[in-house]
Amino acid sequence: MKLAFTASERPDAISACERLKARYGQSETPDVVIALGGDGWLLETVHNYFRQGVPIFGMNRGSVGFLLNEFSEDGLIERIENAERTRINPLRMRAVTTSGDVHEGLAFNEVSLLRQTHQSSKLRIIIDDKVRLEELICDGILLATPAGSTAYNLSAHGPIVPLTARALALTPISAFRPRRWRGAILPHTAKVRFEVREATLRPVSASADSFEVRHICEVEIEEAPDVHATLLFDAGHGYDERVMAEQFAS
């Protein structure tokens, strides 16, 4: 099995990467990529390799590591051979700016809209061509994949979504009006459109993972069924098991 190792900028990740390269080798055409760092580094590694169809096995050398396996230098080949495979589809974002420019990006975690100034954003929410919320006054909003539901979405008090649910989490960020609206669970086939009201007075940015577009007036989002990445988890510690454990954590 040919392996390639990538590491975040954390010293622990870099030193572990060098030891693993010396022990297992470093291939230019790997069968599996080993990502050493935190969840953010795993996401960056996914963006770098998904077009090559190479699965990613993450090991935690960062801070959170919800999507990562425990770190160990021993028995790596056997762990990978016995690993559970999880396929994830990203969201495809199409953002239109106030000047009419169009930008597209992919998000394996979430697409988020955020106010750019002290002014709250005003958003209209349209789902499958039907207006569901005429005006949401808020700091922002996000649409998260199941894989991303444990990231920014969870911090914004959104729900954790198991992969097998094939659903998306729509979560407001610091909603002011309607104050008690907490978001929605959408089918993974939903086509979501956000329209920015008073876009010049209340500028808003949109981000697909780390790709950001500023001064937007409209954003369209839907799942990209033709694109996927594969994550590998240690046997018995797959993503859905992690989701279940997280929901019962004390």
Side-chain angles (χ1 to χ4, degrees), residues 179-216:
R179 192 182 300 274
R180 291 182 175 82
W181 187 67
R182 301 305 299 268
I185 299 291
L186 306 180
H188 72 103
T189 55
K191 296 181 180 180
V192 179
R193 185 165 85 249
F194 300 119
E195 296 178 353
V196 181
R197 309 186 72 175
E198 303 177 23
T200 302
L201 177 63
R202 302 170 181 271
V204 172
S205 67
S207 297
D209 288 346
S210 60
F211 172 65
E212 183 184 40
V213 181
R214 296 176 73 81
H215 299 284
I216 62 164

Side-chain angles (χ1 to χ4, degrees), residues 2-15:
K2 297 181 294 183
L3 304 178
F5 297 89
T6 69
S8 69
E9 296 180 355
R10 294 175 67 96
D12 285 351
I14 294 172
S15 61

Side-chain angles (χ1 to χ4, degrees), residues 112-123 136-142 152 156 171-177 202-206:
S112 59
L113 278 66
L114 292 170
R115 64 184 175 98
Q116 292 179 205
T117 68
H118 65 283
Q119 293 270 40
S120 296
S121 62
K122 290 186 176 182
L123 307 174
L136 173 67
I137 303 175
C138 58
D139 281 356
I141 195 167
L142 62 85
Y152 192 6
T171 303
I173 302 168
S174 299
F176 179 66
R177 289 288 187 276
R202 302 170 181 271
V204 172
S205 67

Side-chain angles (χ1 to χ4, degrees), residues 92-96 111 192-194 218-222:
R92 180 174 282 115
M93 176 189 80
R94 181 181 182 273
V96 182
V111 173
V192 179
R193 185 165 85 249
F194 300 119
E218 181 179 295
V219 176
E220 296 177 345
I221 311 165
E222 61 182 318

Side-chain angles (χ1 to χ4, degrees), residues 77 85 110 126 149 154 161 169 196 225:
I77 300 296
R85 302 171 72 91
E110 77 279 318
I126 302 165
S149 68
L154 185 59
V161 181
V196 181

